[in-house]
Amino acid sequence: MAEDNSYESMLCVKPEVHVYKIPPRASNRGYRAADWKLDEPSWSGRMKITAKGKIAYIKLEDKNTGELFAQAPVEQYPGCVVESVSDSSRYFVIRIEDGNGRHAFIGLGFADRGDSFDFNVALQDHFKWVKQEGEIAKQEASDIVAPKLDLSFKEGQTIKISIGNIKKREAGGAKPRGMAGGLLPPPPGVKAGGVTPPPVGQPPVLAVQTNTASLLDFGSPGPAAPPSTDVWGDFTSAGANSSQDGVKAGGWVQFS
């Protein structure tokens, strides 16, 4: 935020404060509110804290007419313009000015502790903002004076990136290949030597002995006849023999 001396902002307003005439400070031990005549304030009215630029103004005004009674410009807080007393948190000593170079110290008191707390916080927040604005201005000034750092690539400039994790993963991540022929390893508990896999590239052949003649042999002592290639041979021979016997009997086919 740029500093604008023509704009005056309102920081705090308290409807009732009391002003006391304070005795001169005898030593460096600080002011004490107990030394004042607290039951007989010299003036009572309204207090406002305003800010114009970096300076805060404590204004004491009449609560009815708004006429200015006294004003204390504050350029730094904590500082010599506003001091706390040593025996209470509701009373302060402020230095007022008349605009002609003359100043005086008066006692300022609040009836409630919450009002004195708001008074203190309003001044603290304002000068915290002033400090931040000063730091920002210094940073901007240093950025203007210092040359900007150019991190862009020049023409023909390259970079090399070395990633070591990929090499480690390739070296340690190789897995053993499976058995030849696409066979799965034996299940747990079975010895690997119990089953002999067939040669690679040759499908396994199941050795099954089939002897159809043994099915038709009902106890003949001789060796079994070789299987016939004619599927209907046995049925035709049996039919031919039976038909011949039937014809010899009397010309009729007999079924036994």
Side-chain angles (χ1 to χ4, degrees), residues 1 8 37 55 61 167 169 201 222 229 238 244:
M1 182 184 298
E8 185 176 19
K37 296 180 179 181
I55 302 176
E61 300 175 346
K167 293 182 178 179
R169 187 177 299 174
T229 57
Q244 290 177 3

Side-chain angles (χ1 to χ4, degrees), residues 29-225:
R29 65 183 177 90
Y31 293 98
R32 297 178 69 251
D35 299 335
W36 308 345
K37 296 180 179 181
L38 299 179
D39 54 345
E40 298 179 1
S42 301
W43 180 87
S44 296
R46 178 177 60 196
M47 184 210 69
K48 293 194 303 185
I49 302 178
T50 62
K52 184 180 292 186
K54 297 180 179 180
I55 302 176
Y57 296 89
I58 302 174
K59 297 181 178 182
L60 303 177
E61 300 175 346
D62 186 272
K63 64 175 64 176
N64 296 321
T65 63
E67 182 182 358
L68 183 64
F69 171 75
Q71 177 176 272
V74 185
E75 298 180 1
Q76 183 180 359
Y77 184 79
C80 61
V81 178
V82 181
E83 297 182 44
S84 300
V85 299
S86 60
D87 58 345
S88 178
S89 62
R90 296 190 293 116
Y91 299 93
F92 300 86
V93 175
I94 63 174
R95 188 182 70 175
I96 59 175
E97 296 181 2
D98 62 354
N100 297 322
R102 295 181 301 179
H103 65 272
F105 291 92
I106 61 173
L108 178 67
F110 297 90
D112 185 70
R113 293 183 186 275
D115 294 341
S116 63
F117 176 80
D118 294 342
F119 170 79
N120 193 18
V121 170
L123 292 174
Q124 287 179 352
D125 290 346
H126 171 72
F127 286 99
K128 186 183 296 184
W129 170 81
V130 171
K131 182 179 179 181
Q132 292 176 353
E133 289 294 312
E135 292 176 354
I136 294 174
K138 290 180 181 179
Q139 183 66 31
E140 292 177 351
S142 62
D143 292 342
I144 294 175
V145 174
K148 294 183 178 179
L149 183 62
D150 186 10
L151 300 178
S152 61
F153 285 98
K154 305 300 185 293
E155 184 177 358
Q157 185 178 7
T158 59
I159 61 174
K160 182 179 180 181
I161 301 176
S162 177
I163 304 177
N165 293 333
I166 294 180
K167 293 182 178 179
K168 294 180 180 179
R169 187 177 299 174
E170 290 178 354
K175 297 182 179 180
R177 295 183 178 179
M179 300 178 64
L183 296 179
L184 297 176
V190 178
K191 295 183 180 181
V195 179
T196 303
V200 179
Q202 181 178 356
V205 178
L206 299 178
V208 180
Q209 296 181 359
T210 59
N211 192 350
T212 58
S214 61
L215 300 176
L216 302 177
D217 188 4
F218 295 94
S220 59

